[in-house]
Amino acid sequence: MTVSGSTIRDCAGHGGAPGPVPSAKMDFNLRSLLEQLELEELSKFKSLLRTLPPQDELQHVSQTEVDEASGQQLAEILTTRCPVFWVEMVTIQVFDKMNRTDLSKRAKDELREAALKSLQENELPLELTQAQGGSVTNPEDIRETSEGETPGQQDTYSNIWKTSGPIWKQSPWPEAHEHVPSFTQRYERLVPFCNPSMRAGPFPHTVVLQGAAGVGKTTLAKKWMLDWAQDHLPETLHSAFYLSCKGLGRQGACTFAELLARKCPDAQEAGPQVLALGQKVLVVIDGFDELRVPSGSLIHDICGDWKAPKPVPVLLGSLLKRKLLPKATLLVTTRPEALGELRPLLDQPLLIEAEGFLEADRRGYFLRHFEQRDQALRAFRAMQGSPALFPMGAAPAVCWVVCTCLKGQLEKGEDPASTCRTPTSLFLRFLCGQCPPAAPGRGPAPRLPTALQALSLLAAQGVWAQTSLFDGQDLGRLGVGESDLRPFLDGKVLQADADCEGCYAFLHLSVQQFLAALFYLLDGAGPGDAGGCGCAQDVGDVRALLSKEERLRNPSLTRVGHFLFGLANEERARELEATFGCRVSLDVRRELLRVTRARDWPFSSRADTRELMRCLYESQEEALVREALAPVTELALHLQSERDLVQASFCLRHSQALRGLSLQVEKGIFLENDGIWEPGTWAERSRSDQHLLPFWMDLCAVLGSKDLVFLDISQSSLSTSSVRILCAKIASAPCSLQKVVLRNVSPADAYQNFCIILGGYETLTHLTLEGSDQSNMLPILCGALLHPKCNLQYLRLVSCSATAEQWADLPTSLETNHSLTCLNLTANEFQDEGAKLLYMILRHPKCTLQRLSLENCHLTAAYCKELASTLMVNQRLTHLCLAKNDLGDHGVRLLCEGLSYTECQLQTLVLFHCSITSDGCITLSALLQENSRLTHLDLGLNHIGFTGVKFLCEALRKPLCHLRRLWLWGCAITPFSCIDLSSALSSNQHLVSLDLGQNSLEYSGIKMLGDVLKLQSCPLQKLRLKMDHSDAQIQKLLAEIKEGNPKLTIERDNEEPKNNRPSSAYFIF
């Protein structure tokens, strides 16, 4: 169970006045959870904490106190000074936002255990709940369980039972009613009107129960509705109303009184009395996602009149906006994809996620379904081994489908693994198994192909219209009746709906989506040609089905697309033809390939790549995967789950043209600190890793490709075993990798293992190692640099946690290595001796370094003297980056002494954010006027102001100044400086790029520059400015400049660079 969103005041334990609120005992160990966070993660936790509503829960705690608190101290602050319900809710939310799903799951599990323990200790009565099983079909059954109640109350239960429908319909799965008590109790402590310990307050509750299709939202809503009636109902009026959006969406305009009266006839004239009940009235709005109206329309069309006829969606929107029954308690159920439309209608809702069957529930379900325990466990493991299918088992209907399909297979001695491999294979087996031929040895029933075609069209129309309920008129338009669909009704593929008489719904949304996908393959049933029935005009074609725009509008299409790829499999097509006697066309394969090839995959998002992997995996067709990936040369994979790993490993096995792979592995897929992978420890490894490591091996096999030249593994949480497998694959394959990036990878020994195998790796020319866990890696790296076959040209070593003694090995390696030309040591804190040794190597005549970055290395002016003496004698260094070091004006003067020597070959100097003022610009101006070789100078984020710009412009006007690119980003330049800049631009013949971003030049300053920029004689080709695009004057001026000087490109810069300074593209790399 997950709680998210905004909680309400009385849930938090107070009415409205801010201030410290004593908290009850937490139901999970917050201190233990926070102590699992690294310092950086704890800081992120704190920053996210104040962003979640209601933000005033932390107002009485100072920001400083929170910022300075350790994990233990923060837990103490939250548990003693904030409401317990708010702390529990936001803790889980923050962990989810941080992608720490392991901690989120742990908190949820502890909450769940506490809830169950509380229920056991309190021995809550379950008689009414037990009566809500699938066998209850009339009010008399309920009366028998309610002895001692007054006649009025008994009638009430009967009416509510009849109007809301049985919680568990006559189900195809066994003992369904037994799941209701444990399933509903799991959530009741989180619902204000179900938990007596939550103090009532003056504010009406709005509870949103969200979850995937079929996980039990309606079950929970109806059960709570009956409990409400038992506790609150007076003798003459209904205090609980059940409104199903599935059925109401088909009704015409009516008044709000009539809407309630349709379910409760005696409420027709009871408006004032119902209003008087206030918060004692519960309204359940079930299936908000089925309420199909134009996006945003519910907010604008609001009605507060009980007697004004309005469309049903308008009445429900007015109810949610509390224009009708403003004090009533509202319980809304919805799928997650409709939350965006629902949330603006609600004021401070409490969001609860219904998770459906947990893993233990699913296992228990299988044990009840099968008579033999070993068969049950074998079937359960088959579903559990499918990362795509197992999450779908949260829906009881899907568990029943799996059990139904596998039971027959196991009784015949068949292997169930192939049925559970993908959702497509499962639902194909289900469809064929539930609708067998009329008699053994004979073909399908004569009308079965037509019925299947009509049923698939019905499913497709429903998906595109975003509805799951169908009536007799829908069937009539397709030319079929109930008798034609009898095989599907008998096989539980289609069912009579419990809440809407005369209507039908598919067993589960996934069944509808599967049949919708089948529609595209049935011969003669394509959009616009529905077997002659002329009813397919409301169904989009394959290109529309797979388009990102349509999927964002209608998320259900995503699963249909997966099934379509799954059915584009020759073996599966033949099975359909044999079972139903229909013709299945695989021409859709060509369209699927056209859509996948239309994307520019090297520049696609990682979400797009993940979607491609899911579609191709679903097909289980190796030839299709090879064809789809044939033009793909670069991929960026973000593995967020076991499912992603399994699918990517299958697809990459069939990729033949891949040259670049970027990989990100989220925390939780592999075990941390899993120990050394040896035969003796293998048996002790978790079942999860035993299952996943073979897939990881398959994925790593792509590293053996002779075509792969680029590998980037960033922000990844691996395990010792997975790192060793990865390194073994690289080491055993022929050398082909040219560029390798390792950025923020765990465990710590990952860097060491990589450096060991890269020693003597002849093709490797570029290596990036970045992360705070690089302990004991530097000596191994230095050894690799000394290898005679080392051809490394570029080394980027960032945030290396090395000791002074380890740093001392690097200069020695550089003295011997003659291939390395670029060295980037960003964000490393050198000790005095380490820096001096590095400068000494730069003076060595055999040193081959041409580009050096010491960005953010805690250097001060004291280091500049040694560096200046190095620049006097070094004749190879052309690029030097000293950004984000506190050099100051004194440091600049020392540097310029070295740069002034004729032996110095430096062309690019980066002094971004180095505490330089106008005094430093005086020294730089003098240097630039002395025939210096400098062509690129970055002075961004230094407060040089008007005076500094004046001295720089003086240099630009001199013929000996060879600057071609100048960055003055965020240098406190005002419109007054534009006079000097204009003068310099009019006389300078070398400058081609000028960055004035993040400086407020305003219209007057830009106009002064424009007078020069309009001239075609101006050599400037690129100018970056901070400007307001909504300013008509500036836009007109820019158009005039462009017209006068077409070769000039003017870029807009209104945002600060988050990771890279503006000059990064012109430096190393």
Side-chain angles (χ1 to χ4, degrees):
M1 192 287 314
T2 302
V3 183
S4 58
S6 305
T7 187
I8 34 189
R9 289 274 177 215
D10 34 306
C11 287
H14 58 87
V21 180
S23 177
K25 183 180 181 295
M26 294 281 293
D27 282 330
F28 56 71
N29 191 334
L30 181 61
R31 173 179 170 180
S32 175
L33 292 171
L34 294 183
E35 286 178 345
Q36 300 300 312
L37 299 177
E38 303 291 342
L39 284 177
E40 185 177 341
E41 289 179 315
L42 182 62
S43 177
K44 187 175 182 181
F45 182 95
K46 295 172 183 176
S47 63
L48 288 172
L49 199 60
R50 290 187 182 271
T51 66
L52 298 176
Q55 290 91 342
D56 56 3
E57 301 294 3
L58 269 177
Q59 279 186 353
H60 56 279
V61 182
S62 72
Q63 180 71 49
T64 303
E65 188 176 1
V66 172
D67 290 343
E68 294 179 354
S70 64
Q72 177 181 344
Q73 292 167 335
L74 182 61
E76 181 73 14
I77 291 171
L78 294 176
T79 53
T80 59
R81 298 163 64 181
C82 296
V84 64
F85 301 108
W86 179 81
V87 176
E88 291 177 346
M89 177 184 70
V90 298
T91 299
I92 293 171
Q93 281 184 270
V94 172
F95 284 151
D96 287 338
K97 286 179 177 289
M98 294 171 63
N99 285 326
R100 287 303 304 266
T101 52
D102 55 326
L103 298 182
S104 173
K105 181 178 183 301
R106 182 171 150 188
K108 294 176 191 177
D109 290 343
E110 292 183 24
L111 277 175
R112 190 176 294 116
E113 290 172 7
L116 291 174
K117 181 179 178 182
S118 174
L119 289 165
Q120 293 167 358
E121 291 174 351
N122 294 326
E123 297 182 351
L124 295 183
L126 298 178
E127 289 80 5
L128 180 61
T129 306
Q130 299 283 1
Q132 296 161 7
S135 60
V136 179
T137 57
N138 61 71
E140 296 302 322
D141 296 327
I142 300 181
R143 284 197 182 95
E144 292 176 7
T145 65
S146 306
E147 294 181 6
E149 302 291 347
T150 65
Q153 288 175 311
Q154 292 176 5
D155 292 339
T156 293
Y157 297 136
S158 303
N159 288 334
I160 289 180
W161 186 259
K162 286 188 291 186
T163 58
S164 65
I167 287 180
W168 289 92
K169 301 173 289 195
Q170 291 294 339
S171 304
W173 43 87
E175 302 172 336
H177 63 281
E178 292 187 4
H179 296 288
V180 177
S182 61
F183 177 67
T184 56
Q185 290 166 13
R186 188 183 301 159
Y187 301 93
E188 286 175 353
R189 67 177 296 277
L190 301 151
V191 181
F193 53 80
C194 293
N195 187 349
S197 67
M198 290 187 176
R199 284 190 284 166
F203 304 101
H205 295 298
T206 301
V207 177
V208 176
L209 186 62
Q210 61 100 358
V215 296
K217 302 185 295 294
T218 299
T219 298
L220 285 167
K222 289 181 177 180
K223 196 272 180 184
W224 291 339
M225 179 177 169
L226 290 170
D227 289 349
W228 177 280
Q230 183 184 28
D231 295 337
H232 292 85
L233 195 67
E235 294 184 5
T236 55
L237 283 176
H238 284 272
S239 70
F241 299 90
Y242 176 80
L243 304 175
S244 173
C245 293
K246 284 198 296 187
L248 293 175
R250 295 173 170 267
Q251 297 183 9
C254 64
T255 67
F256 186 64
E258 291 170 343
L259 180 66
L260 297 182
R262 288 177 181 177
K263 291 291 183 180
C264 311
D266 56 345
Q268 172 73 41
E269 304 297 332
Q273 293 171 283
V274 174
L275 277 170
L277 289 173
Q279 288 180 252
K280 293 184 178 181
V281 175
L282 171 68
V283 181
V284 176
I285 302 176
D286 190 24
F288 176 82
D289 48 278
E290 294 272 357
L291 196 64
R292 294 300 153 218
V293 293
S295 179
S297 61
L298 291 178
I299 296 180
H300 306 294
D301 199 355
I302 300 297
C303 172
D305 187 350
W306 274 57
K307 298 183 179 181
K310 291 286 182 180
V312 171
V314 173
L315 296 177
L316 293 180
S318 304
L319 178 63
L320 293 169
K321 289 289 289 182
R322 298 199 172 276
K323 297 299 181 182
L324 296 166
L325 292 179
K327 295 183 179 180
T329 298
L330 302 180
L331 173 59
V332 187
T333 72
T334 184
R335 294 181 207 148
E337 51 264 32
L339 283 175
E341 189 71 21
L342 174 63
R343 185 61 185 86
L345 298 170
L346 306 178
D347 181 28
Q348 291 190 322
L350 175 67
L351 269 66
I352 299 176
E353 180 184 350
E355 292 182 319
F357 274 4
L358 305 178
E359 182 169 348
D361 301 324
R362 291 170 228 183
R363 186 176 184 274
Y365 182 92
F366 276 64
L367 290 171
R368 280 188 291 270
H369 190 101
F370 287 85
E371 295 176 2
Q372 298 182 27
R373 179 180 175 85
D374 60 333
Q375 284 190 352
L377 294 178
R378 189 178 176 193
F380 177 71
R381 284 193 292 269
M383 183 178 76
Q384 191 179 38
S386 172
L389 186 59
F390 190 61
M392 296 172 66
V398 175
C399 284
W400 178 79
V401 169
V402 176
C403 291
T404 301
C405 292
L406 298 192
K407 191 170 186 179
Q409 280 189 279
L410 290 170
E411 288 173 350
K412 297 176 184 177
E414 298 175 359
D415 184 3
S418 60
T419 298
C420 291
R421 184 163 291 128
T422 66
T424 302
S425 57
L426 171 70
F427 288 107
L428 177 63
R429 177 60 62 95
F430 171 68
L431 183 66
C432 295
Q434 295 300 99
C435 303
R442 300 177 59 185
R447 292 278 295 167
L448 196 56
T450 303
L452 178 64
Q453 188 168 300
L455 192 68
S456 66
L457 175 56
L458 185 72
Q461 289 178 330
V463 168
W464 280 92
Q466 296 179 271
T467 184
S468 61
L469 194 68
F470 310 94
D471 58 21
Q473 291 183 349
D474 296 321
L475 301 184
R477 281 193 293 271
L478 301 180
V480 294
E482 183 175 315
S483 60
D484 298 303
L485 299 177
R486 179 50 54 191
F488 301 104
L489 287 164
D490 291 343
K492 309 298 182 185
V493 175
L494 191 70
Q495 295 182 320
D497 188 77
D499 294 325
C500 191
E501 188 175 353
C503 292
Y504 304 89
F506 291 94
L507 171 68
H508 184 260
L509 179 62
S510 296
V511 176
Q512 180 179 348
Q513 293 164 337
F514 174 83
L515 286 163
L518 179 59
F519 166 75
Y520 290 91
L521 287 99
L522 292 179
D523 197 25
D529 181 18
C533 70
C535 297
Q537 62 271 16
D538 296 330
V539 178
D541 60 15
V542 174
R543 188 170 292 274
L545 173 68
L546 299 180
S547 72
K548 188 182 295 186
E549 294 74 21
E550 288 291 346
R551 292 182 177 203
L552 288 173
R553 185 186 65 82
N554 184 354
S556 193
L557 295 176
T558 300
R559 183 67 64 81
V560 178
H562 295 171
F563 282 130
L564 183 56
F565 272 88
L567 290 169
N569 177 300
E570 191 168 345
E571 183 180 340
R572 291 168 177 170
R574 301 292 80 83
E575 185 176 354
L576 280 167
E577 289 180 339
T579 303
F580 295 99
C582 56
R583 290 182 58 193
V584 177
S585 171
L586 291 179
D587 291 344
V588 73
R589 285 169 64 117
R590 290 195 293 271
E591 184 63 24
L592 294 177
L593 287 171
R594 275 197 295 269
V595 172
T596 56
R597 289 177 174 178
R599 297 187 180 173
D600 196 357
W601 288 108
F603 302 100
S604 295
S605 70
R606 298 194 174 197
D608 286 340
T609 305
R610 185 185 306 114
E611 183 63 19
L612 174 67
M613 298 294 109
R614 289 187 173 179
C615 289
L616 294 178
Y617 179 82
E618 194 70 28
S619 74
Q620 290 295 298
E621 182 86 42
E622 295 182 6
L624 179 64
V625 177
R626 274 195 297 270
E627 280 191 79
L629 295 181
V632 178
T633 59
E634 297 179 29
L635 274 180
L637 295 178
H638 185 183
L639 305 183
Q640 296 179 307
S641 63
E642 296 180 9
R643 178 184 180 184
D644 292 340
L645 173 58
V646 171
Q647 292 168 345
S649 69
F650 172 81
C651 294
L652 291 190
R653 279 206 312 267
H654 307 294
S655 172
Q656 299 176 326
L658 202 62
R659 294 183 58 80
L661 176 63
S662 296
L663 189 61
Q664 180 179 350
V665 182
E666 284 292 340
K667 200 167 191 173
I669 295 181
F670 294 111
L671 292 180
E672 298 178 64
N673 303 319
D674 59 344
I676 299 175
W677 182 27
E678 296 175 353
T681 61
W682 175 259
E684 300 174 5
R685 294 184 50 80
S686 75
R687 171 181 46 78
S688 175
D689 259 19
Q690 287 186 50
H691 171 64
L692 287 177
L693 287 177
F695 295 104
W696 179 249
M697 290 181 188
D698 289 341
L699 187 146
C700 293
V702 74
L703 303 177
S705 168
K706 59 181 174 53
D707 297 318
L708 193 73
V709 296
F710 174 74
L711 176 63
D712 181 344
I713 304 177
S714 297
Q715 313 299 331
S716 293
S717 297
L718 305 178
S719 62
T720 300
S721 299
S722 58
V723 168
R724 292 195 174 191
I725 290 172
L726 179 63
C727 292
K729 289 293 183 182
I730 296 176
S732 62
C735 293
S736 62
L737 286 173
Q738 298 174 14
K739 298 182 180 181
V740 173
V741 176
L742 298 180
R743 183 181 289 111
N744 297 324
V745 178
S746 63
D749 61 356
Y751 294 92
Q752 299 176 46
N753 285 293
F754 275 104
C755 289
I756 290 172
I757 65 165
L758 294 177
Y761 202 95
E762 294 182 74
T763 58
L764 189 67
T765 58
H766 289 63
L767 176 62
T768 294
L769 301 172
E770 178 177 343
S772 57
D773 291 334
Q774 302 176 47
S775 56
N776 301 320
M777 176 271 298
L778 195 56
I780 300 173
L781 174 63
C782 292
L785 290 173
L786 293 172
H787 197 284
K789 291 185 178 180
C790 177
N791 290 312
L792 202 64
Q793 298 171 17
Y794 170 82
L795 174 61
R796 187 169 188 261
L797 190 57
V798 180
S799 302
C800 180
S801 52
T803 64
E805 292 77 12
Q806 291 171 339
W807 276 118
D809 294 335
L810 182 60
T812 306
S813 302
L814 296 177
E815 185 177 346
T816 305
N817 182 288
H818 300 307
S819 62
L820 197 67
T821 59
C822 302
L823 179 61
N824 188 332
L825 298 175
T826 295
N828 289 295
E829 186 172 359
F830 291 106
Q831 304 298 324
D832 291 349
E833 291 303 317
K836 288 179 180 179
L837 284 171
L838 180 60
Y839 297 153
M840 287 176 62
I841 295 303
L842 288 173
R843 296 178 196 147
H844 198 284
K846 292 185 178 181
C847 178
T848 56
L849 285 183
Q850 298 173 11
R851 305 188 179 203
L852 174 64
S853 175
L854 298 174
E855 180 174 342
N856 192 24
C857 286
H858 303 271
L859 303 181
T860 63
Y863 292 92
C864 292
K865 187 172 183 180
E866 292 283 348
L867 182 55
S869 64
T870 299
L871 295 175
M872 293 177 188
V873 296
N874 185 292
Q875 298 184 15
R876 287 192 176 90
L877 200 65
T878 58
H879 292 60
L880 178 62
C881 176
L882 300 172
K884 300 179 184 177
N885 289 294
D886 191 15
L887 306 182
D889 297 329
H890 179 57
V892 171
R893 277 197 296 274
L894 294 173
L895 279 177
C896 287
E897 290 179 11
L899 294 172
S900 63
Y901 277 72
T902 56
E903 290 82 1
C904 180
Q905 303 296 315
L906 205 67
Q907 300 169 15
T908 299
L909 178 61
V910 179
L911 298 175
F912 180 87
H913 198 5
C914 286
S915 305
I916 302 170
T917 68
S918 57
D919 288 344
C921 292
I922 297 174
T923 310
L924 287 168
S925 177
L927 173 70
L928 294 172
Q929 297 178 51
E930 295 176 356
N931 199 22
S932 167
R933 288 186 172 83
L934 277 183
T935 58
H936 296 60
L937 178 61
D938 185 353
L939 293 174
L941 217 59
N942 289 294
H943 199 285
I944 64 174
F946 173 81
T947 306
V949 173
K950 191 174 188 66
F951 283 109
L952 292 175
C953 289
E954 183 180 334
L956 288 173
R957 285 192 286 265
K958 301 297 183 182
L960 291 179
C961 178
H962 298 106
L963 272 188
R964 293 181 55 79
R965 287 183 168 83
L966 176 61
W967 290 269
L968 298 176
W969 187 93
C971 287
I973 301 174
T974 65
F976 299 106
S977 295
C978 292
I979 300 174
D980 291 306
L981 286 169
S982 299
S983 172
L985 291 174
S986 63
S987 57
N988 184 285
Q989 295 301 309
H990 300 291
L991 198 67
V992 296
S993 177
L994 177 61
D995 189 341
L996 298 174
Q998 289 302 301
N999 292 292
S1000 299
L1001 303 184
E1002 302 175 0
Y1003 172 77
S1004 59
I1006 297 175
K1007 188 175 187 312
M1008 281 186 273
L1009 292 175
D1011 294 337
V1012 176
L1013 298 175
K1014 292 176 188 176
L1015 304 176
Q1016 294 196 13
S1017 58
C1018 178
L1020 205 64
Q1021 299 172 13
K1022 180 180 176 181
L1023 175 66
R1024 185 186 298 188
L1025 296 172
K1026 178 183 179 180
M1027 52 190 168
D1028 184 1
H1029 271 204
S1030 63
D1031 190 317
Q1033 271 190 310
I1034 291 180
Q1035 293 309 307
K1036 182 181 178 182
L1037 178 59
L1038 294 177
E1040 292 174 356
I1041 295 173
K1042 188 67 178 175
E1043 183 180 355
N1045 189 356
K1047 72 177 187 296
L1048 177 64
T1049 299
I1050 300 179
E1051 294 183 355
R1052 177 188 179 188
D1053 175 39
N1054 283 352
E1055 298 181 0
E1056 296 186 10
K1058 296 179 180 177
N1059 298 315
N1060 296 323
R1061 62 186 179 278
S1063 64
S1064 295
Y1066 295 94
F1067 194 65
I1068 295 184
F1069 293 132

